[in-house]
Amino acid sequence: AVKIVGDLITEHGWYPDRGETMGVADGEEVWLIDIYGNKQWAAWRVPDDEVAVVANRARLRNIDLTDKRNVMHSPDLVEYAVANGFIDQKDVNLKDFSPADVYSPSPWVHSSRREWRGLDLLAPSQKFNPSLEYYPKSVKPDNKVSVHDVFKIMGDWMEGTPYDLSK
């Protein structure tokens, strides 16, 4: 499915002013796909024992573009960024590339705070700082995640935190 989505974006493009992040799962694996606009996209396989939280912004940072098993991307992801001045060639590191920062930097507090809350509910033992701009792409949850847990996270309004949206 990820390859099909990627091939369609590469061939037909994507609305140029807005990106998208989506998850794709098939019972065997889960992938995150960031679509950056034009014909640029990247996808990363979430490790089997981890969960990811996405909150309305690109999430793929520090990915190894040479890892063909766990990473897919548009054929000219790096070249397009260099040619358009989004990144200098001397700053390109294929083993630690951050397409989200190159194509869609977004340190939005609202999005990062929602990511923090999801991760905090899934892995409270990690004691994530709620004031960070960026969080890990995925984490190992403290407990097995149930459907009820997902509903709870999706409906959360940060109750009981300093960021409680009901206040």
Side-chain angles (χ1 to χ4, degrees), residues 144-166:
K144 187 174 181 178
V145 179
S146 69
V147 172
H148 177 74
D149 294 330
V150 173
F151 280 123
K152 181 180 172 188
I153 292 166
M154 296 298 290
D156 183 76
W157 63 88
M158 301 186 212
E159 183 179 15
T161 75
Y163 315 105
D164 189 331
L165 296 173
S166 69

Side-chain angles (χ1 to χ4, degrees), residues 101-153:
D101 294 330
V102 171
Y103 285 101
S104 186
S106 59
W108 299 333
V109 172
H110 180 69
S111 295
S112 64
R113 193 68 39 79
R114 289 173 53 223
E115 291 165 4
W116 160 76
R117 183 59 171 167
L119 294 171
D120 186 58
L121 290 170
L122 291 162
S125 66
Q126 295 201 29
K127 300 187 185 320
F128 289 105
N129 179 340
S131 298
L132 297 178
E133 285 184 14
Y134 301 111
Y135 296 93
K137 293 182 292 299
S138 63
V139 297
K140 185 170 184 166
D142 288 357
N143 301 297
K144 187 174 181 178
V145 179
S146 69
V147 172
H148 177 74
D149 294 330
V150 173
F151 280 123
K152 181 180 172 188
I153 292 166

Side-chain angles (χ1 to χ4, degrees), residues 43-102:
W44 173 77
R45 192 176 73 78
V46 178
D48 293 339
D49 60 345
E50 296 191 8
V51 294
V53 175
V54 177
N56 298 90
R57 68 177 180 168
R59 296 284 284 132
L60 298 185
R61 290 176 179 78
N62 310 105
I63 59 174
D64 181 352
L65 296 181
T66 67
D67 179 357
K68 302 301 181 198
R69 172 159 163 54
N70 298 301
V71 175
M72 290 187 251
H73 56 86
S74 51
D76 64 340
L77 183 71
V78 175
E79 294 82 1
Y80 185 87
V82 170
N84 286 281
F86 302 154
I87 188 171
D88 194 300
Q89 181 64 50
K90 69 178 176 43
D91 297 325
V92 172
N93 178 349
L94 296 180
K95 291 195 173 281
D96 186 23
F97 192 71
S98 294
D101 294 330
V102 171

